[in-house]
Every structure is written in C-alpha cells, then in structure tokens.
C-alpha cells in the first residue's frame, strides 16, 4: 500500500518530467496526476507538455488560466507599476496562480501533497512552497530534495523512456515564458560579461532592424487598467498580446540585468517584455496627470514594496493585501488616454488626457492672468526659511 495520490505542477520540461517516475519509485506514491496551467506560454510547448503529461502520468489536467492571469495578476501588477530592480515580474506573477490551480486539483483529487520540479537555487521553490503550504498541503520537491544534477536527470529520463529535450550547443538556455514576460537564463549567459546573442530573442526585433518610421498607439485606461488600443475595446489577454506584437516589432522591451534573488544570489537575467514596457510607461504617465504630488510620492514606496512581495511570491501576506487596497483607491481616478510613440527600441509618451486630470492650462500658462503672480511673493519670502536663516548665521554681513 503506497502513499496514494500526489498532484504535480507540470511544465513538460526535463525536471518536472522525471519527477513523475521519481514520485512513484523514490517516494512511493501510487498515482501521479499532472497539471499544466496555461498562462500564455508558446502553443507548441503547451501542446507538447499536455501530450507528455497524458502519456507519463496516471491522470492529466490542463487549465486555461490566460484570462485569469492577465486580469488577476498582470493588471494588478501594472496598477502597482510592478517592477523589481527593473524586471516587470513575469515568472514571479505566474507562480502563485500555477501553484494555486494545482492545489485546487489536489483538493479535488483528495491528495495531501503537491509536487513541483523547482531546484534549490532559484526563486520559484519559495513561491510554490508558500502557496502550497498556505493551503495546508505537503510539498514534495524531488529535484531539490534529492540534490539532482542535469547529467543524472538525463540518464534517468532515458531509462524511463522520457524524451530528453535537445539541449544543443547553440541553444543551451533555460527559458520561462508567459504572456507578460519571456525570461532567458543559463548557458553562456551565466557569464555576466557575455553579450546576449541575437538568436535568443523571440518577441522583439533588435532596435537597429526595426522600422524606420515610428508607430503610434493610443491606450485607454479605466481605473488603471488598459481596456482599449486605438479605440478598440479588447479583452485583457488579447490587449496584452496585441501590445506585445506592436511594441516587439519596434524593438521595445529588452532587458539584460543582474538580479538579486530571494536567497541573496545574484543572477544574470535576460528578459523580453514589450507589452509590459509600453504599458508601464503609459500607466506611470497618466498617474502623473491625475494623482496628487503626495499620492505619487507615497505610492512610489507602496509600489516598490508591492513589487518586492510579488517577487517573493508572498501574495497572501496581509501587508500585500493592504497595499492592494491602497493602490485600488488611487486607481479609481486613473482614467483617460495616453498616446505612445514606438520607435527603434523606445516607447515614449507624446500626449495624454483624462477627465480626472488635476492640471489646468489656465493656471500654468504663460499667456494667462488667472494667477496673480504677486500672490507668489508671500510664499517665496518664507520658502526655505530655516536654511536661509542658517546661511545668514554662517556669513554675517
Ligand atoms: N529571475 C526571474 C524570476 O525569478 C525569472 C526566472 C525564470 N526562470 C527561467 N528558467 N528562465 O522571476
């Protein structure tokens, strides 16, 4: 009598594939259920993962979570100007959703444990574990627990008839992809001095190869959420994909950085996120038009903390929920349109308007007399009064 059923968060890759026989042989589970969660990864990868899951596991479940990912994770991140050290949080946002959907299957299947294929070096183990343990389920992480090497994994996969992905010399990279971000790491990129080869990019052309004429796109925001492109209302997922296409073909959204992982390790990361770059630029700009100076300054701190917690996968942390409530209040006025110019790697705002703008041409214009300039004289007299005082003490006349 074995340990019953375990549900495995499955990607179709080598790590999660060898987990299937390992969970039976080394851990003694009778039944392995694989779950693939679709968050906008390439269709061919998804199809291959589903086929492998159906073949290798006792039971397989596929969940289409694309809309849920965009509406429930990507757009909240946009409202928070979500960015960790300059990385717009793709993988980090998807993990709690993938883990959460896997947990739901586990509960339905009567399983007491959820498995994942994360290694003991990265961030994903912490994000998965947090969501699984929060649901009161046990975590089983064979790659981490058995301290496996790539070589051993390939050998084990061959013995179990698991097709091994061709990790060729030209393409030795580890790629993680969802509709908000494509992440490329490993191989020669592990040398921070090595220049990223052009061939690793899929969503963006190099700025030099982009069109010689700029492309304009108008984004409509409602409550901090983009709802239309050039006046055409779209579902969130479709809007993000359309923006990926437009910004990507103009070379917008590449990023090569050194990132501080949760454990403290520094890692070299290369990212592509055309829609994220363009929408973040537009969202920050319209916030600047409608929020007060006080709100903007405070929200910058809230956004940074939100991003750090999202990066860590701590999306059930009470502080995270409280920050979301604050952000939600500020976003009620983030309505209007932003005109964006996409050109050879840059996304630049060239115009914006909002019914909630706290901007008045009449007050600020050189041509207007609405402001009686004489009134500013009194403000100016006391501006920096303490420093004025000290300066005069230092230099007595
Ligand atoms: N560094 C990013 C994160 O922790 C992305 C990691 C993606 N993994 C990969 N194998 N490319 O969120």
């Amino acid at each position: 009598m074995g340990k019953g059923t375990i549900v495995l968060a499955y990607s179709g890759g080598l790590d999660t594939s060898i987990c299937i026989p390992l969970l039976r042989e080394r851990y003694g589970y009778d039944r392995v259920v694989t779950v693939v969660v679709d968050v906008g990864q390439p269709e061919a990868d998804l199809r291959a993962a589903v086929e492998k899951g159906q073949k290798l596991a006792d039971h397989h479940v596929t969940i289409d979570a694309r809309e849920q990912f965009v509406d429930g994770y990507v757009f909240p991140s946009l409202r928070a100007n979500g960015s960790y050290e300059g990385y717009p949080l793709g993988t980090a946002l998807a993990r709690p959703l993938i883990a959460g959907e896997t947990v739901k299957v586990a509960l339905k299947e009567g399983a007491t444990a959820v498995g994942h294929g994360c290694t003991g070096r990265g961030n994903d183990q912490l994000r998965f574990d947090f969501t699984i343990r929060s649901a009161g389920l046990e975590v089983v992480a064979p790659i981490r627990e058995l301290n496996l090497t790539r070589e051993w994994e390939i050998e084990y996969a061959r013995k179990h008839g698991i097709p091994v992905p061709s990790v060729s010399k030209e393409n030795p990279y580890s790629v993680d992809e969802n509709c908000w971000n494509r992440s490329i790491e490993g191989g020669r990129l592990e040398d921070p001095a090595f220049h990223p080869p052009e061939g690793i990019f899929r969503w963006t052309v190099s700025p030099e190869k982009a069109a010689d004429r700029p492309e304009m796109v108008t984004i409509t925001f409602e409550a901090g959420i983009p709802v239309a492109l050039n006046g055409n209302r779209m579902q969130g997922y479709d809007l993000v994909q359309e923006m990926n296409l437009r910004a990507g073909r103009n070379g917008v959204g590449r990023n090569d950085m050194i990132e501080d992982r949760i454990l403290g390790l520094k890692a070299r990361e290369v990212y592509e996120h055309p829609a994220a770059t363009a929408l973040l630029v537009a969202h920050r700009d319209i916030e600047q038009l409608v929020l007060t100076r006080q709100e903007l300054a405070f929200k910058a701190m809230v956004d940074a903390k939100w991003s750090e917690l999202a990066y860590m996968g701590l999306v059930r942390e009470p502080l995270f929920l409280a920050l979301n409530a604050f952000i939600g209040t500020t976003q009620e006025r983030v309505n209007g349109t932003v005109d964006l110019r996409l050109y050879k790697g840059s996304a630049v705002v060239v115009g914006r308007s909002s019914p909630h703008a706290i901007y008045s041409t009449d007050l600020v214009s050189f041509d207007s007399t609405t402001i009686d300039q004489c009134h500013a004289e009194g403000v100016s007299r006391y501006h920096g009064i303490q420093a004025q005082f000290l300066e005069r003490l230092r230099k007595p006349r």
Side-chain angles (χ1 to χ4, degrees):
M1 179 65 191
K3 286 205 265 180
T5 297
I6 185 164
V7 177
L8 174 69
Y10 188 61
S11 73
L14 178 64
D15 287 332
T16 52
S17 292
I18 65 155
C19 282
I20 300 169
L22 281 173
L23 289 169
R24 293 187 186 120
E25 290 177 1
R26 297 282 176 110
Y27 288 84
Y29 285 97
D30 307 301
R31 197 166 157 266
V32 180
V33 176
T34 46
V35 179
V36 164
V37 182
D38 182 0
V39 285
Q41 54 270 57
E43 253 164 61
D45 291 8
L46 191 83
R47 221 174 308 122
V50 171
E51 270 168 30
K52 271 171 112 177
Q54 284 167 343
K55 195 174 127 225
L56 300 170
D58 298 284
H59 178 56
H60 175 81
V61 179
T62 307
I63 294 159
D64 180 357
R66 289 174 298 173
E67 296 274 339
Q68 199 190 339
F69 178 54
V70 171
D71 298 338
Y73 294 80
V74 168
F75 286 166
S77 181
L78 181 61
R79 280 156 53 112
N81 297 313
S83 165
Y84 173 79
E85 300 183 342
Y87 152 54
L89 298 173
T91 302
L93 295 176
R95 292 323 189 206
L97 173 58
I98 295 170
E101 291 302 309
T102 309
V103 160
K104 278 191 208 157
V105 175
L107 296 175
K108 215 161 96 199
E109 292 281 338
T112 53
V114 166
H116 64 67
C118 303
T119 71
R121 288 187 189 83
N123 293 324
D124 285 337
Q125 51 173 337
L126 302 170
R127 299 167 179 153
F128 270 102
D129 291 3
F130 174 73
T131 296
I132 297 164
R133 291 208 175 96
S134 296
L137 296 173
E138 190 195 331
V139 173
V140 179
I143 310 297
R144 176 178 67 193
E145 288 158 15
L146 305 172
N147 203 11
L148 301 181
T149 65
R150 205 81 186 159
E151 225 173 300
W152 189 94
E153 288 183 27
I154 290 171
E155 187 54 36
Y156 184 79
R158 290 224 168 91
K159 266 193 241 148
H160 286 80
I162 296 169
V164 177
S166 57
V167 182
S168 63
K169 277 227 167 63
E170 311 88 73
N171 195 19
Y173 305 107
S174 163
V175 175
D176 180 67
E177 202 168 315
N178 57 55
C179 64
W180 195 232
N181 194 304
R182 184 166 176 270
S183 140
I184 313 124
E185 50 178 38
R188 287 193 70 191
L189 293 172
E190 285 176 354
D191 173 2
F194 177 72
H195 297 197
E198 197 49 40
I200 65 172
F201 298 105
R202 291 273 178 280
W203 295 6
T204 53
V205 300
S206 75
E208 304 90 89
K209 293 233 173 77
D212 288 322
R213 286 185 44 198
E215 178 173 348
M216 300 295 304
V217 54
T218 299
I219 301 154
T220 307
F221 285 96
E222 283 176 11
I225 291 166
V227 295
L229 293 186
N230 294 335
N232 301 319
R233 286 190 86 88
M234 299 170 97
Q235 283 289 335
Y237 180 78
D238 298 334
L239 186 144
V240 167
Q241 290 297 40
E242 177 71 22
M243 205 61 220
N244 272 330
L245 193 85
R246 286 170 184 264
R249 69 184 172 209
N250 286 287
V252 170
R254 288 188 180 180
N255 184 4
D256 174 356
M257 63 184 284
I258 303 296
E259 179 176 307
D260 291 293
R261 285 189 186 158
I262 306 167
L263 288 179
L265 300 176
K266 283 195 185 287
R268 196 279 184 88
E269 301 279 353
V270 180
Y271 295 118
E272 288 183 285
H273 38 72
T277 297
L279 293 173
L280 282 164
V281 165
H283 180 263
R284 276 196 207 101
D285 187 274
I286 193 163
E287 278 195 334
Q288 202 69 31
L289 182 64
V290 301
L291 300 185
T292 67
R293 172 158 67 177
Q294 296 297 336
E295 283 180 303
L296 287 167
F298 193 76
K299 186 167 182 292
M301 294 188 287
V302 170
D303 290 348
K305 194 67 196 175
W306 189 99
S307 300
E308 187 194 326
L309 292 172
Y311 184 77
M312 293 181 160
L314 296 177
V315 296
R316 282 175 183 78
E317 153 70 46
L319 176 62
F320 189 75
L321 305 176
L323 298 181
N324 267 321
F326 167 80
I327 291 167
T329 308
T330 64
Q331 298 303 291
E332 285 166 14
R333 280 173 287 133
V334 183
N335 304 309
T337 59
V338 178
D339 295 333
L340 211 55
R341 181 179 179 269
L342 308 168
Y343 181 62
K344 287 198 179 289
S346 72
V348 176
V349 175
V350 291
R352 69 288 279 163
S353 76
S354 169
H356 293 99
I358 44 175
Y359 175 95
S360 160
T361 314
D362 189 39
L363 289 179
V364 82
S365 172
F366 289 105
D367 305 323
S368 143
T369 52
T370 311
I371 286 236
D372 183 342
Q373 295 184 53
C374 300
H375 291 163
E377 158 71 17
V379 177
S380 169
R381 190 170 290 271
Y382 301 105
H383 183 58
I385 180 112
Q386 300 179 351
Q388 288 182 30
F389 194 87
L390 273 175
E391 284 295 301
R392 287 200 295 269
L393 274 185
R394 271 198 212 107
K395 295 176 239 154
R397 272 194 274 172

